[in-house]
Structures are given as C-alpha cells and as structure tokens.
C-alpha cells in the first residue's frame, strides 16, 4: 500500500508546473519574492510546500544545469513524527507523513528537527505545514497534484515497488546515454524516502544532502518520550505553556505569516 | 554534528514535561477518505489561454465561481499535465481582484479613471469611430481607383481572442474601411 | 506547423533552433522525451545561451543571435558535401531539377535584378527556363549547371565549417556535431523535425531563416513525414486562428490577398492573385482562389453581393499597392499624427512592441483609444506611465472589461491547426463581457449611426451580414466561417464544394468543414489513435479538412510505398488500387500514385517543394546578412544588412554603434510568464516564481564589469535603457566572431510598469526590455528584429 513518487531529473525542464499546481490545489497564497541571482523562487519553504532547485555548474567544459523538485521527503524515519509532542504527525496508510491540523499546537519542534528543513510555521493558523503528498487526492484514488501536472513524466506516482523499479530502469537508460554518474536517491536514505529521485549526478550537484539523517535531537526525544505516554494529558497543558514562552524566544518572522528553518536543502545558487 | 545552535537552544528551553502525548511510534492514521474540495463541483473543459500548444484543462466550478483548474486527462496532447502557466489558470478567473469588472474612461488631461456604463461607452466609442472614419475617409485615390479607406483608424489585437471573435473583428474592421490592421501574429 | 505536437514522439532527431521549446512550449517536451525513450531520438538545442531546453537536450551548440542562416547554411552545405540528402525525394518532390534562366546570378551578397535606389529586386530575373508549352525545363539527373540543385550547391559551398564557425561564433566541432547528427535524418527511413519560434523569425532576415529550414528539410526528405516537418511553434493560444482570420493588413481571411489599388476591380484582383501554371501535373490548388474569394464576399455581404456588383468587392478597402501597414508602420503613422483612433483588443504594445518608448509616445498622439482587456494593462494606462505627465496627454481612453477564456464559449486554434472548442466554466466578474459581445455592440451601434445613409462609402457597412442573434452566438459565427450552400441553405461539408458564382458562402475557406451538418467538429473528444502514430483524427478538427500532417504525399515514394514502413500514414495497395490512409491525403488520392507524386505540394504553383524560391524579397536562396545593429562586418559578403530591408524614421529610433554600445543584446521569454505580462504578472503564483526583471551575462563579462549576481544593473541602448537584476551565468559564454570577442547578454521581455508585479521596485520605471529594441523589421513580413540589438551594461552606483 506504500506509495511513492518518482522524480526523474533527467526529464525535468523546471517548468514549475509542480510548484504552481501545489499552490493551486492547496490554495496556498503566493509569497512575495525578489530575484536572488538565479531562477530559483521562492527562496525557502516559508509559505510553500514545494520548490524546484536550480543548480548550475561547469563540468569538463560543459554546462550542467540540474533541476530538482524538493518538498517534504516523507521519510520512513520521519524526524518530525519522532519529535511531535502531540502525535499530530503520523504516517498514513500510504506511508506518507501527514500533520493532523487539529492536533498541531504550533510548537515548532518538527520544524527545528526536520532532516530536510521543509516544514514551515503558519503564524496565522498557528500550525506547522508541509507537503502531505495530497493525502486528500490520494485517499480518493487520485494522483497528487504535482505528479499529475508534471508534463514530461519526470514525476510519476505509484506503488513504491513499481516506482523503485522505474527509477532503476531510468538510471540504466541514463547511463546508456552517457550520463555515467546517474544514480537513485531516496531508496534507503532516512530509512527510505517517499520520493525516489533519479539523479544525473551526485546529490551535491543538486544541492541535496548526500547522507541525510534525522538530527540527534529527534532520536533523543523519541527515546525519551516513548515511555512517557502515561503523563500525556498533563504534558499537553505544560507543553502549551512552555510553547508560548518558547515561541517568544524565536527570531521574529520576516514579512508574512510563515516562519521555518531552511537547513539541509540550501537556498541560493 | 547535526545539532545546530538554534536546535540546542530549543533543547535547553524544553521541559521534560513537554512530553509526547500518544505514541511516537508510527501508528497508522485512520483511513477516512478526506473530502475533496472539488467534490460536487461542475466540470467543464477548456483550452489553455497561453501558448500555442493548446492543452486541455478541466475547470471545477461551484456556485458560479471557478474553484480549481487542472489538466484534462482525456486531452491527447497534455494527458492531464500542464506547465506552470496553465496550472495557475485559477488566478485568471474572477477570484482575482485585479480582474477588470467595470467600464472605465479617462478624459483628456486627466490622471484617473472614471467608471461608466456600457451604454455610455459604446455610444461614445461609436461616435468617435464614425467621426474619425468620416474625417479621414478616402473614397478614390489619385488615380481614380475606388479605395474606400478609413485612413486615420487603426485596429489591433488579439491573438488570445477566440476564432469567432477574430473573424467578427476582421469583418467589422474591413467593413469600416480599416487598412491599419495588425496584431501579435506580426510581431 | 506542418505536423503536430503528439507527432514529435515519432522523430529520430529534433533540432530546436531559434526556439526554447522546454520553456515556451513546455508540452513539446512530453513528446520529445517520449521519442528519446522509445526510439532513441536525439534532441539538439542551438541557442545563444544554454537554456532549460539545452539542459534536457543531448547536444547543445551556441549561436550568435542573427546568424541562423550561416549555421543552417552550413548544415545545408554539410548535407550536400557528405551526400546525406535523400536523393530520390529531392529529385521527385522538389524543384531541384528545374533549370533556372540565365538572367539569374549571385555575386557578393547580391542576386541579379537589384535596384539599390529602391532597395528592391526585380524578381523576374529569378525565373525558370520554360519550354515551348510554358512548363519549367528540368534535368532529372540534377547535373545541369543551371539546375536548381547545382546552383544550390554552388551557393552553399561558401558556408564551409570554418566560415560558419567564424560568423556564428559556434566552435567548429560543436557545429559539426549538430550538422552530422541532424544530417543522419537524410537517410531514407529516418525523419528529423525542426522546432522554431521567435528566435528564428524576429530578425531582419527572419523569413529567410525559415526558408533555410525549408531547404534543409527538403534536402533531407523530412517534409510530410511522421516525426519530420517544420514546426512553427506559435506563441499565443489563438495566434494561429487570428492569423487565419487575417487580423493582418495584407490579408483577408483564409490567406487571400488584401485588395490593393492596382486591383481596381474583382476581375483584376482575381487575375493577379490566382496563380497559373501550364504544367498539367501540378494541382495548383490556389487556382480555386476565385471560389474562395467570391464565397467570402457572399458570407460578408449576403444577398447584397451579386455578380452585377462584383459581389461587393468595391466595398472592401484597398491598400495603396505596396504600402506597409504593419505594426511598426502603424506606430510610425501614429507617431506622425496620422492615426487618430485605435481599437486595441487584448494587446499590450507598451511592453510587447519594439522600441516601446517610441510606441508609448505614439499612443499619446491619438485622439482616442479603446482598450479591451481582462486586466489593466501597461498600455491602457500609458497616459500615466513612467515619465509621463497626464496633463500633457489629451488622448481619451476607454477601458472595456473583457471575459477571460473560461468565461465564454468559442474555439481557439493551436499551432498544429487544431480548432478546439471550449466552454463556460463560470461567468465573468462584474460587468465584463466576451469580446464577441463587445464587437457586436460596437458594430450595431456604428451601423445605427449610419442608418439611412446613401453615401457610397457607407454601403458596405450597411450591407454587411451580421446574423449572430440579438445576443451574439459563437456557434453562428463558426457556421458562417464554415460556409453554406446558398441554394439549399445547408452547411457545406468542406471547401471542395465552394463555387465562384455566388452559390456558396464561406467566411474562411481553410475552416470549411469545421461545422457541418454533422455538427461542431471542433468540439469532438474522441482521442482514439487507429494508426498508433499519435494521429487522433476525431479529436477536435484541424484545418484544412482535418488533415493532421500536411504535404503528406511525401511520406511515401513515387510508387506509394512508405519511406519507413513503421511510420506509414499512407500506403498504396496495388491489389485494391487504393491508398490505405490514416490521415487525410494532401494529394489527389483517386489517381495512381505516380501521378500524385508529381504534385506533392498542391498549394505551390510548381506542385513541388521549392529549394529555389522566386517569391521572397531578398533572394531565391537564403543568404547571411548581419543584423541592423551589429558589432561586426558581414563575413560572407560586402552587403552588411539585408539589401531589401526597409528603414524607418530616425526620430526616437536612433541606430546604435558598437563604440558606444559594444554588447549584443537579445530578448527571450521564460516559462512562468507570457508575452507582455499583463496576464501572468497579475497571477501571484507565477509572479512568485519569476518576480523581477533580470539580465543574464557571462561570468567573463561580469568580471570585466565588476558585476555580481543579484546586483541591480542598467542596460542601455540607443533608444532607451532598463534596470535589471544581474544573473551571472556560465550559460552565456563569450563568442569568438571573426577573430574578435563578442559578448551577448539576454533579457526577458515580460516586465513593464503596471500590474501585481512590474519587474522591479520603482513605480516610476518601466522594466520593459523593449525599450532597447528598434523599429526595424524583416524585409518580407516586417516582423521586428527583437532578437538582436546593441547595448551596454553598467553598474548602478
């Protein structure tokens, strides 16, 4: 029943259909941006569930311009779910990581601990937000909005085993065409990602983290909290108080209502 | 070391009692089909108004407002996919506050628009078409050839107009005697 | 397009030159990548800079803007020298064998017949040698030194790889890689396709750029084949339809010529516009021009159009013979105060027009302007634009709110000539109305003002048919375009039923067949593909007569056997004496294949494809000339600029020189925005992805100027300047041209001064790239040379 999405970057033209289709389906407002030196926009995940990274380099005298859609990776070892004090973050029946808005208290722990730095805090709604791989569409038998919009077939939605097979085939085809560095990314990383990438080159050539791992803090809190279920009720109340105090210590949010950490997937060129 | 300074601060600010409530194990979430915001919407098909590929789009409308636009899976060219522009079609609909919805007029020397009615505007424009046409009309040229040209009247646009609109516009312009006729196809 | 979008999946090699298909026609890549995946097709990107198209292509070669003829000429030469051309196709389906009159010659940049004072050629010098019957003489061995094939070889022998590299700035090995990869499609069973757009057309030699493709594709035997052809990728959702409807000064709907002052009566008009041939093998389908013309007149003037009054011919305006009324000419006339009133339906020249500053000034000289739009465009507020004091502008402006595409019913025609019907999803906001309604209201009001007039000049207007209903019904308009049998009152099945005696009406003969007794063909939604070639004949309707790939006789040999049995839309079955067809034949299918093989290009008077053309203003063969503004002299000849190009007024149109403006500038588009930006710059999700005006430059130029990415810089030219954020990128590299280094910089042209985003923070500035371009255009079409101009780039202190 586990679903996954293939991201075959050998086919991505960075048309941004995925970026916009995500905004459209989720009715997320646009953020205000400026030209930062590359085509990449928005520059981080504040206010967005997904963004396409543009990574340019010159290798052996040839220009390489690599495009990678990034978003919540739906990690098997989801750090966000490990640290969520209210259990708002769970793995769905599709293997995707979903935040239950009703249970989110906006504590920002998930944002601080996200392996890929893709969650943002929506100030107006006081909750953490991220890609949920269109849980509503999936549970109605539909394809996630981005995968549906993708016009080259770079993004393909399906059963994880099927997607892995497609990824391997795509890597083989890429190597056949002379892309010696072609590789799969996401098969085993962080226990296995919900997004299986076909890269033309090493992850660093896409500004993707080479060996992503949930932060130590996440595992610490997971180990700590699991036996402590029994004090659940009191902990919520105390947590709410602590959160209010704690949030005040966070750096002020820039323009707009969203805040969030952009850690592992770096902004810029 | 994955711990950033910011994370460390959070760690030290946290209390033991901000404990997880229920399992940090990955329990499977209830499988209740989440409602689709396009459920019960009326579906209509259209063609993207942007480039010349002509991708098919399905619009979902509720109570006279478009709520969603996605690729038409049955269309043989795009098979349900779109580019970023087509994916943003929703923002061209009436939900966009910047859409023009009133007739406007700018008087000579003025720095602002005034709102007008259709009746007023059509009447005033028609008078100007007549005046400009009559003032500049050349019936025969120097060689005596009947040329019927409205030489001070120009018609331009529009490559995003429907075929039927382009046809009617072309017909009307020529019937007026317009020779200054051109649009995006030229440029 | 000769073929269509899905057909791209059938190609063996796609050459994308003069276009950035992945960015501006993104869906093309669905099918190109399918071709790569299933057939191992190669995708080639040739562009002044490495684009998103180049990023997914197999081969990239840089090209100095404005040197396409040198590059393609080099490919033509390469194919000829290495015998890669498809010999039987060339011999049988082109005019390669035609003998050219001794009057024709070429020398140092000029063809015979040139009048330097008029900047024009006497095209009679480029004639075929005729036999006694008036049929062109031929040498099917292709060895006669005066045959087209030999003259072609001689002309393009000058485009050797070294010369091409020197002129284009493309390294020789990269040029040769492209020439040889694409040259492989000359094999009998291979098919290559060329995709082009504004990079090809927006030059003073734009038309000849396209001609060069035609020559190359005819040589390689790629026209009329699945996976072959030449794909003009049109930029707007209905620019194909608007072209067909002739919102153009030089045409009437259906590509009929506009009447001119040297055609005082209908008989002369028909005589001058109907091509004639003595060659019995040539179908010469334009010989039916009288049927198309009279049927159009009947559609427009109904019963008032009779044989006695030349079917109302005199009511149409006649342009002064040879006069140019194109976009540039309109704004020049407007600037001179000659044009008093302008109706502007969904166009934004303050951003999209060449020499945008001059065009904004021109608008201010109008007495009145009507703009019909869905958003407030930059043009509609020209009277309070940057640098303008509204008190000094006397122009009255009417801004009429229009319905968007999802708010009205009607059809649009895509690049592949598919007419597709679309429906109302929701009503327009407030008082906005469909453009058809607006045109209808204006027509009826104007007609009312002239009611009862006996003045001859008003009779055409008063006699015009306008049977669309009290509230205009687009279906009725579409039916008028389709045409009627006026005797029976029935809708015509297609244009083969048109008559020249007034018995039929047809608003646009190429659309005849779109709305018949069987219904609205453009609304069909059956996507079945019986051939497996991606031909979906029951999805919508394509002109002409639902033919999906034109020139398709060329997909099979003279005996009717497909060049490639695996991609065979047609095959002659000798047993049944009939064709097995998966598309509508673009040839006479009721005669033996050898006979139809003699006229595979039925719209050409010759009946065959033209390697040598007698029609274009600057010569029968494409020849490289430098752009109007250029830093180098022409390396091919001493004619620097296209000898037939027209120069426009110098007022506010100064020509820049390389001393002041040493950089070559070019303009282009990005996926996230569209044309002059009045729609996409008002869509926040798109503005988020591409918020601001930028200029791309190479790291070498950036270092020279001390510029870093993200910094605001000023691009200056002889006609204006624009601020932009710097985007320093290796995707631009300096060009080595004729021994000198030429730097090229590039600007997207979507930004302006009005909208949700304008392109920059300063409300008092226009961020339109077209402040740099000029009033100078192609020698045949007058399409502006947007793609090359001189400029400089300065830090903003």
């Amino acid at each position: 029943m586990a679903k996954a999405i293939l991201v075959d970057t050998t086919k991505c033209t960075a048309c941004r259909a995925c970026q916009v289709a995500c905004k459209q389906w989720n009715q997320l407002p646009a953020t205000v941006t400026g030209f930062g030196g590359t085509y990449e926009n928005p520059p981080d995940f504040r206010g967005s569930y997904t963004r396409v990274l543009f990574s340019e380099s010159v290798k052996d005298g040839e220009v390489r311009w690599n495009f990678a859609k990034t978003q919540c990776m739906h990690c098997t070892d989801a750090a966000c779910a490990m640290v969520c004090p209210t259990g708002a973050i769970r793995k769905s029946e599709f293997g995707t990581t979903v935040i239950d808005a009703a249970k989110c208290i906006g504590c920002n722990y998930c944002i601080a601990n996200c392996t890929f730095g893709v969650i943002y805090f929506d100030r107006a709604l006081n909750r953490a937000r991220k890609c949920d791989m269109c849980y509503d569409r999936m549970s109605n038998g539909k394809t996630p909005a981005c995968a549906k919009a993708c016009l080259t077939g770079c993004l393909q939605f399906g059963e994880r085993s099927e997607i892995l097979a497609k990824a391997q085939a795509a890597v083989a085809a890429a190597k056949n065409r002379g892309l010696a560095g072609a590789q799969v990314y996401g098969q085993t990383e962080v226990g296995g990602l919900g997004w299986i990438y076909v890269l033309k080159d090493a992850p660093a050539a896409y500004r993707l983290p080479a060996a992503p791992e949930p932060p130590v803090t996440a595992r610490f809190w997971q180990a700590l909290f699991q036996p402590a279920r029994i004090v659940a009720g009191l902990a919520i109340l105390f947590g709410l108080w602590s959160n209010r105090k704690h949030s005040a210590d966070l750096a002020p949010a820039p323009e707009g209502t969203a805040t969030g950490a952009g850690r592992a997937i770096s902004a810029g060129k | 070391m994955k711990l950033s300074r910011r994370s460390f601060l959070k760690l030290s600010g946290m209390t033991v009692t901000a404990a997880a409530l229920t399992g940090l194990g990955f329990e499977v979430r209830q499988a209740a089909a989440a409602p689709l915001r396009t459920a019960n919407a009326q579906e209509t098909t259209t063609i993207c108004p942007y480039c010349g590929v002509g991708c098919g789009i399905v619009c979902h409308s509720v109570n006279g407002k478009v709520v969603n636009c996605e690729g038409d899976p049955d269309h043989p060219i795009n098979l349900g996919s779109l580019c970023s522009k087509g994916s943003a079609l929703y923002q061209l609909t009436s939900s966009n506050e910047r859409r023009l919805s009133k007739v406007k007029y700018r008087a000579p020397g003025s720095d602002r628009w005034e709102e007008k009615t259709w009746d007023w505007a059509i009447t005033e424009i028609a008078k100007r078409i007549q005046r400009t046409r009559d003032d500049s009309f050349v019936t025969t040229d120097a060689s005596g050839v009947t040329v019927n040209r409205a030489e001070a009247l120009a018609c331009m646009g529009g490559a995003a107009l429907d075929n039927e609109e382009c046809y009617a516009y072309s017909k009307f312009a020529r019937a007026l005697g317009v020779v200054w006729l051109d649009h995006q196809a030229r440029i | 397009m000769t073929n269509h979008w899905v057909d791209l999946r059938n190609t063996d090699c796609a050459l994308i030159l003069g276009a950035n298909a992945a960015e501006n026609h993104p869906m093309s890549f669905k099918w190109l990548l399918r071709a790569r995946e299933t057939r191992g097709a190669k995708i080639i990107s040739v562009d002044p800079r490495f684009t998103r198209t180049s990023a997914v292509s197999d081969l990239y070669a840089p090209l100095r803007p404005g040197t396409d003829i040198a590059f393609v000429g080099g490919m033509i030469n390469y194919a000829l020298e290495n015998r890669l051309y498809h010999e039987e196709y060339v011999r049988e389906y082109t005019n390669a064998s035609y003998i050219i009159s001794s009057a024709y010659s070429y020398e140092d940049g000029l063809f015979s017949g040139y009048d330097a004072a008029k900047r024009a050629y006497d095209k009679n010098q480029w004639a075929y040698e005729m036999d006694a019957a008036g049929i062109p003489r031929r040498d099917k061995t292709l060895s006669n030194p005066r045959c087209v094939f030999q003259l072609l070889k001689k002309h393009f022998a000058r485009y050797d790889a070294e010369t091409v590299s020197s002129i284009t700035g493309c390294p020789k090995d990269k040029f040769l890689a492209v020439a040889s990869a694409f040259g492989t499609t000359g094999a009998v069973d291979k098919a290559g396709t060329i995709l082009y757009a504004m990079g090809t057309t927006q030059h003073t030699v734009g038309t000849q750029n396209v001609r060069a493709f035609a020559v190359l594709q005819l040589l390689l035997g790629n026209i009329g084949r699945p996976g072959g052809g030449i794909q003009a990728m049109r930029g707007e959702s209905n620019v194909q339809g608007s072209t067909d409807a002739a919102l153009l000064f030089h045409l009437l709907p259906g590509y009929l010529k506009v009447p001119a002052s040297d055609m005082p009566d209908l008989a002369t008009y028909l005589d001058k516009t109907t091509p004639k041939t003595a060659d019995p093998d040539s179908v010469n389908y334009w010989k039916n021009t009288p049927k198309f013309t009279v049927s159009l007149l009947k559609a427009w003037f109904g019963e008032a159009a009779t044989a006695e009054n030349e079917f109302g011919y005199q009511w149409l305006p006649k342009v002064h013979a040879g006069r140019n009324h194109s976009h540039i000419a309109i704004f020049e006339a407007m600037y001179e105060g000659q044009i008093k009133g302008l109706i502007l339906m969904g166009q934004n020249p303050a951003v999209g027009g060449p020499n945008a500053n001059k065009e904004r000034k021109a608008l201010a000289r109008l007495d009145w302007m009507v703009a019909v739009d869905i958003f407030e465009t930059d043009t509609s507020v020209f009277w309070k634009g940057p640098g303008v004091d509204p008190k000094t502008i006397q122009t009255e402006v009417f801004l009429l709110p229009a319905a968007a595409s999802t708010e009205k019913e009607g059809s649009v025609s895509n690049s592949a000539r598919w007419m597709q019907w679309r429906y109302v999803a929701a009503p327009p906001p407030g008082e906005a109305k469909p453009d058809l309604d607006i045109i209808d209201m204006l027509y009826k009001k104007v007609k009312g003002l002239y009611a009862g007039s006996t003045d001859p000049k008003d009779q055409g207007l008063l006699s015009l048919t306008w049977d669309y209903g009290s509230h205009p019904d687009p279906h009725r308009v579409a039916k008028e375009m389709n045409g009627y049998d006026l005797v029976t009152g029935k809708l015509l099945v297609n244009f083969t039923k048109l008559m020249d005696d007034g018995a039929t009406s047809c608003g646009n003969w190429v659309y005849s067949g779109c709305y018949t007794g069987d219904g609205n063909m453009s609304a069909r939604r059956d996507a079945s593909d019986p051939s497996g070639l991606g031909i979906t004949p029951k999805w919508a309707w394509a002109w002409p007569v639902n033919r999906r790939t034109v020139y398709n006789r060329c997909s099979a040999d003279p005996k009717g056997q497909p060049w490639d049995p695996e991609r065979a839309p047609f095959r002659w079955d000798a047993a049944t004496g009939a064709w097995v067809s998966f598309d509508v034949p673009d040839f006479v299918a009721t005669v033996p294949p050898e006979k139809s093989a003699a006229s595979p290009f039925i719209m050409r008077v010759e009946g065959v494809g033209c390697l040598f053309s007698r029609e274009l203003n600057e010569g029968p063969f494409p020849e490289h000339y430098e752009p109007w503004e250029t830093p180098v002299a022409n390396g091919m000849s001493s004619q620097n600029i296209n000898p037939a190009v027209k120069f426009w007024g110098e007022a506010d149109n100064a020509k820049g020189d390389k001393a002041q403006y040493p950089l070559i500038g070019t303009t282009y588009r990005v996926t996230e925005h569209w044309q002059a930006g009045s729609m996409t710059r008002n869509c926040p999700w798109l503005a988020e992805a591409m918020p601001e005006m930028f200029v791309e430059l190479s790291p070498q130029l950036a270092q020279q100027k001390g510029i870093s990415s993200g910094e605001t810089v000023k691009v200056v030219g002889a006609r204006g300047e624009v601020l932009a954020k710097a985007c320093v990128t290796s995707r631009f590299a300096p060009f080595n041209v004729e021994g000198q280094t030429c730097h090229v910089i590039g600007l997207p042209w979507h930004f302006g001064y009005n909208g949700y985003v304008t392109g920059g923070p300063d409300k008092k500035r226009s961020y339109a790239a077209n402040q740099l371009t000029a009033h100078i255009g192609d020698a045949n079409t007058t399409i502006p040379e947007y793609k090359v101009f001189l400029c400089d780039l300065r830090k903003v202190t």
Side-chain angles (χ1 to χ4, degrees), chain C residues 629-631 657-666 695-697 701 704-705 707 714-717 741-745 788-794:
Chain C
E629 285 188 337
T630 178
D657 71 274
K658 66 178 183 185
Q660 247 190 310
Y661 307 111
L663 308 180
I664 298 171
T666 192
V695 56
E696 293 184 302
L697 63 152
L701 182 63
Q704 198 181 303
K705 300 257 178 195
I707 285 169
K714 184 183 285 194
V715 186
V716 300
T741 299
C742 288
H743 288 287
V744 180
I745 65 173
V788 201
F789 49 89
L790 289 181
C791 57
D792 198 7
L793 207 155
R794 302 190 182 141

Side-chain angles (χ1 to χ4, degrees), chain C residues 202-497:
Chain C
Q202 289 172 342
H203 294 274
T204 44
V205 292
T207 310
Q208 292 284 358
N209 283 344
V210 183
R211 270 287 296 146
F213 290 150
V215 170
L216 180 63
Q217 288 294 64
L218 286 171
L219 283 177
L220 295 174
N222 284 330
I223 302 287
R225 312 271 306 272
I230 299 178
Q231 321 316 327
M233 300 188 291
R234 313 250 12 218
E236 294 91 0
S237 52
N238 199 33
V239 68
Q240 183 63 60
S242 60
T243 306
D244 303 333
L247 288 170
L248 294 163
F249 81 88
H250 70 299
L251 295 176
L252 292 178
Y255 301 93
L256 301 174
K257 305 274 184 290
V258 75
S261 55
D262 60 352
M263 304 163 179
D265 49 56
L266 180 61
T268 312
Y269 172 88
L270 293 176
D271 180 58
K272 287 195 166 184
T273 63
T274 305
K276 300 163 192 66
T277 177
D279 185 347
D281 285 336
S282 173
V283 169
N284 184 27
Y285 205 75
W286 273 113
K287 68 181 178 230
N288 295 301
T289 296
K291 298 176 185 173
F292 309 149
T293 307
V294 174
S295 299
L296 168 65
L297 293 170
K298 287 298 288 181
W300 283 12
F301 301 114
E303 286 175 4
T306 65
E308 286 67 46
N309 70 0
E310 303 177 273
F311 297 104
Y313 173 75
Q314 299 299 339
W315 289 327
L316 295 176
K318 295 184 188 66
V319 298
H320 185 84
R323 179 158 301 160
N324 187 321
H325 292 284
S326 68
H327 178 110
I328 290 178
I330 290 174
F331 278 90
E332 289 280 317
M334 207 187 291
Y335 184 87
E336 297 300 321
Q338 196 185 330
I339 296 178
K340 304 293 185 196
L342 169 67
I343 302 174
L344 193 55
M345 301 201 76
Q347 191 169 359
N348 191 12
V351 170
N355 196 340
N357 290 337
K358 181 166 190 176
E359 299 205 350
R360 279 202 288 135
K361 276 192 183 174
L363 292 170
R365 296 177 191 181
L366 291 166
D367 284 353
W368 57 268
M369 179 176 105
V370 178
V372 184
D373 289 293
I374 65 174
F375 291 103
E376 186 186 82
T377 63
D378 314 71
T379 303
S380 67
V381 292
F382 80 88
W383 40 275
K384 55 174 177 170
V388 176
D389 175 7
K391 288 196 280 297
T392 65
I393 312 286
Q394 301 311 308
T395 315
E396 292 183 285
V397 182
F398 298 81
L399 181 56
L400 305 179
S405 57
T406 51
E407 298 158 356
K408 57 187 181 178
E409 202 173 327
S411 69
V412 286
S413 298
N414 73 3
S415 226
R417 302 163 274 105
W418 293 15
M419 176 187 178
Q420 303 189 92
W421 199 261
R422 47 188 194 187
Y423 300 90
V424 176
E431 298 175 24
K433 289 182 189 297
D435 298 76
L436 183 64
D437 291 31
I438 299 171
I439 294 164
D440 180 76
M441 290 192 292
L442 280 174
Y443 161 77
K444 285 169 175 165
K445 188 63 78 167
V446 170
K447 184 178 179 183
L449 291 177
Y450 284 105
S453 164
T454 53
D455 189 335
K457 83 177 204 314
D458 304 327
Q459 300 317 303
L461 186 63
L462 292 172
S463 306
L464 203 64
T465 63
W466 201 270
D467 308 316
Y468 310 132
S470 52
H471 179 239
D473 176 1
H475 292 263
R476 289 164 82 154
V477 183
K479 288 178 185 177
E480 180 174 312
M481 287 158 54
N482 178 81
Y484 289 90
D485 175 331
L486 296 174
V487 175
T488 63
K490 288 193 191 316
L491 288 161
L492 294 172
V493 65
N494 62 44
F495 54 68
T496 59
K497 304 299 180 195

Side-chain angles (χ1 to χ4, degrees), chain C residues 96-174:
Chain C
S97 61
Y98 286 40
I99 312 290
I100 302 301
S101 120
S102 55
Y104 163 78
S105 64
Y106 167 83
E107 174 91 44
D108 189 28
L110 289 174
F111 295 92
S112 47
Y114 187 60
D115 181 334
K118 291 184 185 164
R119 296 188 61 76
Y121 281 98
D122 171 16
K123 297 176 192 174
N124 293 320
Q125 307 272 310
W126 311 333
Y128 297 128
E129 221 175 72
M130 302 298 209
D131 66 17
I135 298 173
R137 286 183 53 222
R138 278 161 247 215
D139 170 24
K140 283 283 185 85
T141 70
L142 306 185
S143 56
N144 185 315
R146 296 298 298 173
C147 79
V148 166
F149 189 72
Q150 293 301 331
L151 292 172
L152 182 80
K153 283 182 91 171
K154 187 173 165 199
H155 190 85
F156 286 101
R158 302 151 49 235
Y159 290 84
D160 58 276
E162 274 79 21
T163 305
V164 169
S165 177
S166 171
I167 291 178
T168 62
C170 179
K172 187 173 151 188
D173 61 328
K174 296 208 156 133

